[in-house]
Amino acid sequence: MMGNSKKVFIKTYGCQMNVYDSARMEDVLKPLGYEMTDGPKDANMVILNTCHIREKASEKVYSELGRLKNIKKRRDEENEMIIAVAGCVAQAEGEEISRRAPYVDMVFGPQSYHNLPEMIAKAHRAGNEQGRGVLMTEFPAEDKFDHLPAPTKPEGYSAFLSIQEGCDKFCTYCVVPYTRGAEYSRPAEHVMREARELVAQGAMEITLLGQNVNAYHGDDGRGGEWTLGRLIRELAEIDGLERIRYTTSYPAEVTDDLITAHAEVPQLMPYLHLPIQSGSNRVLAAMNRDHTREQYLETIAKLKAARPDLALSSDFIVGFPGENERDFEDTLDMIRQVKFILAYSFVYSPRPGTPAATMDLQVEAAVANERLQVLQQLLKDVQAEFNNDCVGKEFPILLEREGRREGQLVGRSPYMQPVHVKAPLDLIGKIADLKIIEARQNSLGAELVNVERKHA
Ligand code: SAH
Ligand code: SF4
Ligand code: F3S
């Protein structure tokens, strides 16, 4: 297999951690002679890197598998296609996948990507009556990150870096603790090395990833541990790393140390994704979130005292079991108070094996959908207000690529808004001061003020 070119198509669902993992799988597959391709048609192997978070997300996988089955059927022995299911659905459903889709050859969970060469060899040895029956869904004791090759930076100036994986919070609606396992922090030195490599390859912005990233406590190799705050301070010393972000954080674990980092580290962007899920204390308690709305607001007040230009985004679940109109009003009130500049919102989806799935008082779908509409309209209004308030202000913008219009570049503001500006091509890969002159629902228009300003 080595040397002769085979093609692999990796389709990624779900969160940024899956995006990161898919890139790592590419890094494992390239030395085996696999080239990336962007569709199943010419692929010798298709990997679906799946998400189990809501029912819709996992059902998508089965409809995609249905389509792949037809392609696989038309292939001959010379030009066979291996179908693999990776990620959180693989971890949660394991053999069930082979039962529902017997033509699937490999099923493996998020902790086993470094074993891909071994799994592929096994699949090649197996006969292909139906699927090849390769299954790997244990949580191995060793650190998969230790066994993965050095990362290649993706195109562009922005890179993800997973520093923490798994979750011990057990929110009553959530599958992540079951699909990703217990909380694990990568050793500090490994993270630093990977960050330096990414910057050496041209990354100007790094987003630190973890299901519960602010719980990071990486071994420092000297019997101690680094907090996320410490890690951010050390990363800020890397020459050429202009922007640092981290996601996703758990509100009850935003420490004073982390808040101080927001005050002290200019490279740390004034934008934080801090999911609240609900504005009602009753619902938060039923969700097993370890904080009240008051504590959440207090944390935000502290963050804003440290970094006055800080803005927040969030996630919301509506229609959680037992949620009534008053609870929902509390959520709307929360949005009005905090003025989240962006939010992802979902109707509660009961997940097999989670405590909330069997709670009494499941909310009717029609009611939940109605609430979602109201919530999303409010979020849209609040976002539009923020974007409008940006008009007239100047921001440092990392110019990333050409826009669709002639002479136009696209960048991202500290708040992640896409910004369009007329500017010369050689400004790509630079941070420029731009004045915002126009606001749209999801993007901004700007004019060039000044080039080559460093840090926010
Ligand atoms: N670790 C992150 C989020 C992980 S999942 C955190 O704690 O915030 C991403 C989002 O999906 C969650 O914030 C939540 O809003 C949503 N989500 C998770 N489980 C869900 C479920 N069963 N139904 C609907 N939305 C869900
Ligand atoms: Fe899921 Fe809660 Fe953990 Fe986030 S903190 S991953 S919502 S269990
Ligand atoms: Fe989905 Fe797994 Fe991420 S369930 S949201 S892909 S951790």
Side-chain angles (χ1 to χ4, degrees):
M1 187 172 53
M2 200 72 88
N4 55 1
S5 162
K6 297 210 166 205
K7 291 195 172 140
V8 56
F9 169 52
I10 305 180
K11 184 162 182 172
T12 309
Y13 302 82
C15 63
Q16 288 134 321
M17 300 217 60
N18 264 10
V19 175
Y20 177 87
D21 283 347
S22 290
R24 293 290 71 75
M25 282 193 258
E26 281 188 28
D27 292 333
V28 176
L29 291 169
K30 277 179 196 153
L32 300 179
Y34 278 97
E35 263 176 55
M36 298 304 131
T37 180
D38 53 9
K41 273 213 182 88
D42 58 341
N44 306 101
M45 178 156 71
V46 175
I47 302 176
L48 303 182
N49 191 6
T50 62
C51 174
H52 194 59
I53 202 83
R54 284 167 291 276
E55 191 183 351
K56 260 194 202 138
S58 26
E59 281 310 310
K60 260 190 213 161
V61 175
Y62 288 101
S63 40
E64 184 64 30
L65 284 174
R67 282 190 286 275
L68 292 175
K69 175 189 175 184
N70 293 325
I71 303 178
K72 186 183 170 97
K73 252 199 321 223
R74 291 196 298 269
R75 296 291 183 84
D76 52 29
E77 218 168 282
E78 281 294 280
N79 195 19
E80 52 168 14
M81 181 166 88
I82 289 181
I83 302 181
V85 180
C88 291
V89 176
Q91 187 62 48
E93 298 191 352
E95 281 169 10
E96 173 68 20
I97 295 174
S98 309
R99 265 195 293 278
R100 275 183 72 174
Y103 44 89
V104 167
D105 300 294
M106 310 192 336
V107 175
F108 50 93
Q111 307 307 332
S112 50
Y113 299 152
H114 54 294
N115 296 318
L116 261 171
E118 186 193 318
M119 291 190 278
I120 292 171
K122 211 166 150 190
H124 277 285
R125 282 197 302 272
N128 192 18
E129 281 292 294
Q130 278 257 2
R132 292 159 192 265
V134 179
L135 179 77
M136 199 174 267
T137 53
E138 303 90 67
F139 292 117
E142 83 252 36
D143 168 15
K144 77 167 170 192
F145 294 105
D146 279 351
H147 299 273
L148 287 168
T152 338
K153 185 188 72 67
E155 255 175 74
Y157 299 91
S158 200
F160 289 144
L161 202 176
S162 280
I163 63 168
Q164 180 276 333
E165 191 159 7
C167 183
D168 296 341
K169 293 290 167 298
F170 291 94
C171 300
T172 52
Y173 50 82
C174 183
V175 295
V176 171
Y178 312 97
T179 62
R180 296 272 172 168
E183 249 168 58
Y184 167 79
S185 295
R186 293 180 67 188
E189 190 40 48
H190 294 193
V191 174
M192 292 301 293
R193 198 188 314 139
E194 188 165 328
R196 284 188 214 105
E197 278 162 8
L198 290 167
V199 173
Q201 291 175 61
M204 298 174 73
E205 172 176 273
I206 288 181
T207 303
L208 306 172
L209 299 180
Q211 263 89 27
N212 195 3
V213 73
N214 54 332
Y216 178 80
H217 54 99
D219 189 339
D220 71 356
R222 265 162 288 171
E225 283 180 345
W226 284 12
T227 59
L228 179 60
R230 172 77 189 273
L231 178 65
I232 288 169
R233 285 185 180 82
E234 301 278 347
L235 286 168
E237 298 297 316
I238 299 177
D239 211 27
L241 181 56
E242 303 292 338
R243 296 185 157 195
I244 302 170
R245 304 177 187 273
Y246 59 92
T247 199
T248 295
S249 300
Y250 187 71
E253 288 189 50
V254 177
T255 60
D256 288 343
D257 167 61
L258 183 58
I259 293 172
T260 313
H262 275 278
E264 293 175 356
V265 180
Q267 293 95 325
L268 188 56
M269 289 292 98
Y271 175 58
L272 184 61
H273 187 59
L274 196 61
I276 170 93
Q277 314 298 355
S278 166
S280 152
N281 284 337
R282 274 187 56 230
V283 175
L284 287 171
M287 287 176 164
N288 192 31
R289 301 284 284 186
D290 292 334
H291 60 85
T292 60
R293 63 181 274 136
E294 290 76 19
Q295 285 163 332
Y296 182 85
L297 290 168
E298 200 180 307
T299 300
I300 291 182
K302 281 199 211 162
L303 280 160
K304 288 202 169 179
R307 182 85 203 226
D309 58 347
L310 186 105
L312 291 124
S313 59
S314 187
D315 293 343
F316 293 95
I317 296 176
V318 298
F320 187 80
E323 182 191 75
N324 60 30
E325 275 306 316
R326 266 196 56 194
D327 298 317
F328 179 61
E329 279 303 322
D330 284 347
T331 300
L332 297 180
D333 178 67
M334 192 76 182
I335 296 170
R336 287 186 204 105
Q337 276 197 51
V338 181
K339 296 195 167 54
F340 296 99
I341 67 169
L342 184 83
Y344 302 96
S345 48
F346 315 95
V347 164
Y348 166 70
S349 168
R351 305 307 288 130
T354 60
T358 50
M359 283 180 184
D360 292 338
L361 301 169
Q362 300 280 334
V363 175
E364 253 175 73
V367 174
N369 284 322
E370 167 75 29
R371 286 182 192 160
L372 185 70
Q373 302 262 309
V374 173
L375 179 113
Q376 289 185 336
Q377 187 54 53
L378 177 61
L379 286 167
K380 237 176 155 176
D381 294 346
V382 170
Q383 183 187 28
E385 195 180 313
F386 179 76
N387 288 355
N388 283 327
D389 285 348
C390 289
V391 175
K393 291 188 182 155
E394 277 180 36
F395 296 118
I397 309 281
L398 170 57
L399 295 166
E400 293 180 310
R401 57 188 167 86
E402 279 184 84
R404 242 175 296 156
R405 300 218 189 108
E406 174 102 26
Q408 188 191 55
L409 301 186
V410 188
R412 261 176 314 111
S413 77
Y415 304 107
M416 297 291 272
Q417 299 141 299
V419 182
H420 301 264
V421 64
K422 266 211 173 103
L425 221 54
D426 60 1
L427 287 189
I428 291 182
K430 302 243 158 55
I431 293 175
D433 276 344
L434 302 189
K435 184 172 177 181
I436 307 304
I437 51 173
E438 196 192 344
R440 291 168 228 116
Q441 183 66 45
N442 295 309
S443 67
L444 302 171
E447 62 189 21
L448 198 57
V449 178
N450 192 12
V451 186
E452 278 288 9
R453 191 181 112 166
K454 290 216 160 181
H455 308 328

